[in-house]
Amino acid sequence: MGQDAVAANGTAGGGRRRARPHAVVMPYPLQGHVIPAVHLALRLAERGFAVTFVNTESVHHQIGAGGDIFAAVRAGGGGATTTTTELDVRYELVSDGFPLGFDRSLNHDQFMEGILHVLPAHVEELLRRVVVDPPTTCLVIDTFFVWPATLARKLGVPYVSFWTEPALIFNLYYHMDLLTKHGHFKCKEPRKDTITYIPGVASIEPSELMSYLQETDTTSVVHRIIFKAFDEARDADYVLCNTVEELEPSTIAALRADRPFYAVGPIFPAGFARSAVATSMWAESDCSRWLDAQPPGSVLYISFGSYAHVTKQELHEIAGGVLASGARFLWVMRPDIVSSDDPDPLPEGFADAAAGRGLVVQWCCQVEVLSHAAVGGFLTHCGWNSILESVWAGVPMLCFPLLTDQITNRRLVAREWRAGVSIGDRGAVRADEVRARIEGLMGGEDGVMLREQVKKLRGTLEAAVAPGGSSRRSFDEFVDELKRRCGGSH
């Protein structure tokens, strides 16, 4: 595939055509990062960039799409865009240092050590091959990597830090030094008082911080990745964020005071439909026939995302609440949700008790499910993609965050936007509370109010991406700036 990447830059054909600006896009190798990166890559290609998209071999293997995931959209847009121009997207693979059969879910810390210490050398080797004309090239790289600014400097190209979570999360990580100075982080016994000193954040409780900022042991591999990644982010030329200015105005204003920060979300597949590019790392079940047979607004959709795990105890409490509520439900149960060693973690007899009103699948096309008229609520782990998709589909949320940004995302959903309610915390979720919350959402007054609020938020998102909207303007400014910067030496 290497020669394709050279051709993509338009500089290898003996000056056949003026070089296009060339963006090398690489997502973090987790499902929730791959999806927005793919659709950002398509947007850049629509705007005249030659794009080289880099996946790890492992992610590509899990997607199981055979060869090039962009093949279908390359000629004439293929349904991914509204244009009919040919998209210049090339596809490259890089080893993460582990064999394909290695269980990255079961061996999480070992996998993360590889991302920290092994992957950077493989990426550098790849970039030295695909960055053939530095004056026309930029790196658009997931913020969580530990090497982008360093490699961008070595190669003499700009680094665009692509942040797939809310601006609030970026801002809190960005100010870890302040949290440390005030005793809210990196302390044996962190303070419990309200945090009021983070620029652009009026106040936040220590219990609303990301899980990694609540932990007292900060020597874990994930902490080491976060510290290094945000050292690199401080040297980014631009930050591109999958959020909407109107959802987080003061936080975004504070970040913009520091560096070019562009809020360009929500980044979805065209038409908020099944992606024309294969991005799913699990085989998807088609749930449409089952959903078609359910009354409008009657189904609770349940999914805990692609990455975090729950305990068997938590799963059994939630399952008990779901059964007791009497609600119809569609539950996405990833095979490794508890552990790869425990592929059937639901309580004994659950399937029989739920027969006729519930469907359990391993994975599905979430935007299709949320868009279906039968779906009236979403019990979610509060991953950022899931939140944006739920708001766009007008579906209110029951929030059960598992780790990392999800805890802070819940604060946005439940406290700031009032588009959802909490159903408990890790280790403190009870079947009776789950039942009560489901009943309130699916049939009670709570549900009516939450739906009204979600409808308003959906209007905010739609306005942001419409012509003249904040995200559309922000993306236009970003593209213009990048084209100026990567115009090449003509």
Side-chain angles (χ1 to χ4, degrees):
M1 290 187 212
Q3 294 309 306
D4 286 345
V6 173
N9 210 16
T11 56
R16 280 180 290 115
R17 58 189 169 91
R18 178 178 171 150
R20 290 180 176 193
H22 176 209
V24 181
V25 179
M26 184 170 177
Y28 208 67
L30 297 171
Q31 179 75 82
H33 296 252
V34 171
I35 293 169
V38 161
H39 298 293
L40 173 64
L42 292 174
R43 280 198 197 181
L44 289 169
E46 285 175 24
R47 300 298 290 272
F49 282 79
V51 175
T52 301
F53 190 93
V54 183
N55 253 340
T56 63
E57 290 166 356
S58 166
V59 166
H60 176 74
H61 178 70
Q62 259 197 276
I63 288 171
D68 181 341
I69 62 171
F70 291 94
V73 301
R74 189 168 293 108
T81 99
T82 52
T83 69
T84 53
T85 54
E86 188 169 325
L87 298 181
D88 197 344
V89 186
R90 309 299 156 124
Y91 189 51
E92 291 279 353
L93 300 178
V94 67
S95 169
D96 63 11
F98 296 97
L100 289 179
F102 177 75
D103 190 327
R104 289 154 181 78
S105 175
L106 203 56
N107 302 287
H108 172 267
D109 284 8
Q110 198 182 341
F111 173 46
M112 288 291 147
E113 291 283 4
I115 285 179
L116 182 57
H117 296 297
V118 182
L119 181 64
H122 291 293
V123 172
E124 180 168 0
E125 187 184 346
L126 173 81
L127 290 178
R128 290 196 180 282
R129 181 161 56 75
V130 300
V131 178
V132 292
D133 183 25
T136 65
T137 302
C138 61
L139 304 184
V140 183
I141 307 291
D142 196 294
T143 309
F144 275 120
F145 281 121
V146 298
W147 44 263
T150 301
L151 281 188
R153 273 197 304 274
K154 276 191 190 178
L155 296 164
V157 300
Y159 163 37
V160 180
S161 184
F162 179 41
W163 183 245
T164 60
E165 297 172 3
L168 173 62
I169 312 289
F170 187 95
N171 199 26
L172 291 167
Y173 280 137
Y174 202 74
H175 291 103
M176 285 183 285
D177 56 334
L178 283 181
L179 290 163
T180 303
K181 183 178 140 191
H182 286 84
H184 284 106
F185 181 49
K186 283 194 180 176
C187 305
K188 284 198 172 67
E189 286 195 29
R191 286 165 45 179
K192 299 280 193 282
D193 55 315
T194 303
I195 297 161
T196 56
Y197 49 79
I198 303 292
V201 183
S203 71
I204 187 165
E205 299 305 319
S207 62
E208 295 174 321
L209 293 174
M210 298 82 85
S211 60
Y212 300 125
L213 297 188
Q214 294 189 41
E215 289 168 9
T216 49
D217 175 10
T218 59
T219 63
S220 78
V221 63
V222 177
H223 284 94
R224 284 179 280 133
I225 286 172
I226 290 167
F227 298 152
K228 183 77 177 84
F230 274 82
D231 283 347
E232 296 281 297
R234 287 176 190 287
D235 290 330
D237 296 278
Y238 313 97
V239 181
L240 200 60
C241 183
N242 186 18
T243 191
V244 173
E245 189 168 346
E246 288 80 1
L247 295 183
E248 309 186 75
S250 56
T251 302
I252 288 169
L255 287 165
R256 275 202 190 126
D258 187 75
R259 70 187 52 248
F261 188 96
Y262 299 92
V264 299
I267 298 172
F268 291 144
F272 196 66
R274 182 178 291 274
S275 171
V277 176
T279 55
S280 178
M281 290 162 66
W282 284 270
E284 294 178 343
S285 298
D286 183 357
C287 309
S288 54
R289 279 180 64 184
W290 185 84
L291 286 168
D292 288 346
Q294 312 308 317
S298 69
V299 173
L300 177 69
Y301 170 56
I302 308 169
S303 174
F304 298 128
S306 60
Y307 174 60
H309 298 269
V310 297
T311 67
K312 205 156 189 170
Q313 176 64 29
E314 288 164 344
L315 200 65
H316 284 206
E317 291 290 338
I318 291 168
V322 168
L323 283 181
S325 73
R328 298 163 194 265
F329 65 89
L330 167 56
W331 196 333
V332 169
M333 190 73 63
R334 213 175 68 231
D336 66 343
I337 187 70
V338 169
S339 163
S340 305
D341 291 339
D342 188 1
D344 186 20
L346 279 168
E348 203 175 325
F350 180 86
D352 292 340
R357 66 177 175 94
L359 180 65
V360 179
V361 298
Q362 287 196 350
W363 202 246
C364 68
C365 176
Q366 185 161 285
V367 295
E368 284 190 348
V369 168
L370 285 169
S371 302
H372 198 286
V375 173
F378 183 7
L379 201 171
T380 174
H381 67 308
C382 294
W384 187 236
N385 289 331
S386 291
I387 288 168
L388 290 175
E389 289 164 7
S390 201
V391 169
W392 189 268
V395 176
M397 288 162 267
L398 296 175
C399 302
F400 183 61
L402 301 176
L403 87 167
T404 184
D405 63 312
Q406 298 157 16
I407 296 160
T408 317
N409 295 347
R410 172 175 63 183
R411 168 206 160 95
L412 289 170
V413 171
R415 200 171 132 182
E416 294 193 17
W417 308 336
R418 307 201 179 284
V421 292
S422 178
I423 64 154
D425 288 296
R426 298 300 318 249
V429 60
R430 300 284 170 264
D432 54 351
E433 185 187 1
V434 173
R435 174 192 54 75
R437 292 289 194 219
I438 293 173
E439 288 173 355
L441 176 72
M442 300 304 289
E445 281 180 30
D446 280 0
V448 175
M449 291 190 305
L450 291 168
R451 268 178 203 87
E452 281 303 308
Q453 199 52 29
V454 172
K455 205 181 288 181
K456 286 181 197 160
L457 283 175
R458 176 184 176 152
T460 302
L461 296 195
E462 288 175 334
V465 297
S470 61
S471 292
R472 179 79 72 94
R473 283 197 316 274
S474 201
F475 192 66
D476 288 346
E477 286 166 20
F478 169 72
V479 164
D480 291 346
E481 169 60 24
L482 217 47
K483 283 183 172 175
R484 270 197 301 277
R485 184 84 179 259
C486 304
S489 43
H490 305 306

